[in-house]
Amino acid sequence: MICAVSTKTTGLKPELHEVIELAIKPIDGDAVYYRIRPSKPENYDKVVQDINGISAQAANSFMPMEDAKSLILNTWQSIVVLGHNCIFDFTMLRATFGQDFNDVIYNKEFIDTMDLAMTYDTQRLMRGEKKAFKNYQLKHVCSMLGVPFTHKCEALVGVYNALKNTSDS
């Protein structure tokens, strides 16, 4: 089963920061959100709080990490991850929940929309055309493809469908 996966974190450094929200959306289903209480709230980066819209105070009311891990593992197993810059999400999830979490959740397969966009541009260049994307940030890729960015999981599915269809023709 292909599922869009999105994380919100307390920062960008896996050795200091952790996942506080995990969204999983089957490609043809609804997203499920898991909000996780940070175990190191003192490391919550203020800039990241402003970006992800979750205050440190709000995050303190979320489900404890062990409870969230158990709930997620009991619900999701062996999915094919659809993400954007998947290495970041994999690294942050491993830092938060442990490698055993990634081993159970992921089917060792993933689809990275950033890689799809780069491949799309490479194909264009090989045909003598200009690149379609100035950069590979998800919001920019969405904008260039005409995919609405309402939530990251929805955007991932839209970009996947747009780029999958172009490479099929």
Side-chain angles (χ1 to χ4, degrees):
M1 170 176 25
I2 299 175
C3 295
V5 173
S6 168
T7 61
K8 290 186 180 180
T9 65
T10 59
L12 301 176
K13 299 176 184 173
E15 65 278 4
L16 288 177
H17 301 113
E18 52 204 318
V19 173
I20 56 171
E21 182 179 274
L22 173 62
I24 302 175
K25 180 194 178 313
I27 208 159
D28 292 323
D30 296 325
V32 179
Y33 299 87
Y34 301 92
R35 290 190 150 192
I36 302 110
R37 181 182 313 144
S39 62
K40 301 173 269 187
E42 66 277 6
N43 292 341
Y44 199 156
D45 187 318
K46 174 67 175 127
V47 173
V48 173
Q49 286 183 60
D50 295 339
I51 291 169
N52 71 26
I54 300 173
S55 71
Q57 183 178 3
N60 266 346
S61 69
F62 295 167
M63 176 183 337
M65 188 277 295
E66 285 300 324
D67 294 347
K69 180 178 179 178
S70 178
L71 182 60
I72 296 163
L73 289 175
N74 286 327
T75 307
W76 304 98
Q77 294 185 9
S78 296
I79 63 173
V80 175
V81 172
L82 172 62
H84 194 81
N85 190 12
C86 289
I87 192 73
F88 175 78
D89 290 329
F90 292 150
T91 302
M92 292 304 295
L93 287 166
R94 182 178 59 239
T96 302
F97 295 113
Q99 182 60 41
D100 61 321
F101 179 85
N102 283 359
D103 289 344
V104 171
I105 294 294
Y106 305 128
N107 195 25
K108 305 296 185 227
E109 291 183 65
F110 64 94
I111 302 164
D112 194 317
T113 56
M114 187 165 65
D115 291 343
L116 292 177
M118 289 178 183
T119 299
Y120 178 73
D121 267 351
T122 300
Q123 291 169 346
R124 289 177 59 88
L125 290 170
M126 289 172 62
R127 291 190 303 263
E129 300 171 3
K130 290 184 180 180
K131 288 173 54 174
F133 309 109
K134 291 180 185 171
N135 67 62
Y136 298 104
Q137 294 177 356
L138 183 57
K139 285 185 180 179
H140 177 73
V141 171
C142 285
S143 174
M144 297 306 294
L145 293 173
V147 172
F149 193 102
T150 53
H151 184 274
K152 187 175 177 185
C153 283
E154 296 294 335
L156 288 167
V157 171
V159 168
Y160 170 70
N161 286 331
L163 291 175
K164 180 179 155 284
N165 292 339
T166 58
S167 66
D168 288 346
S169 45

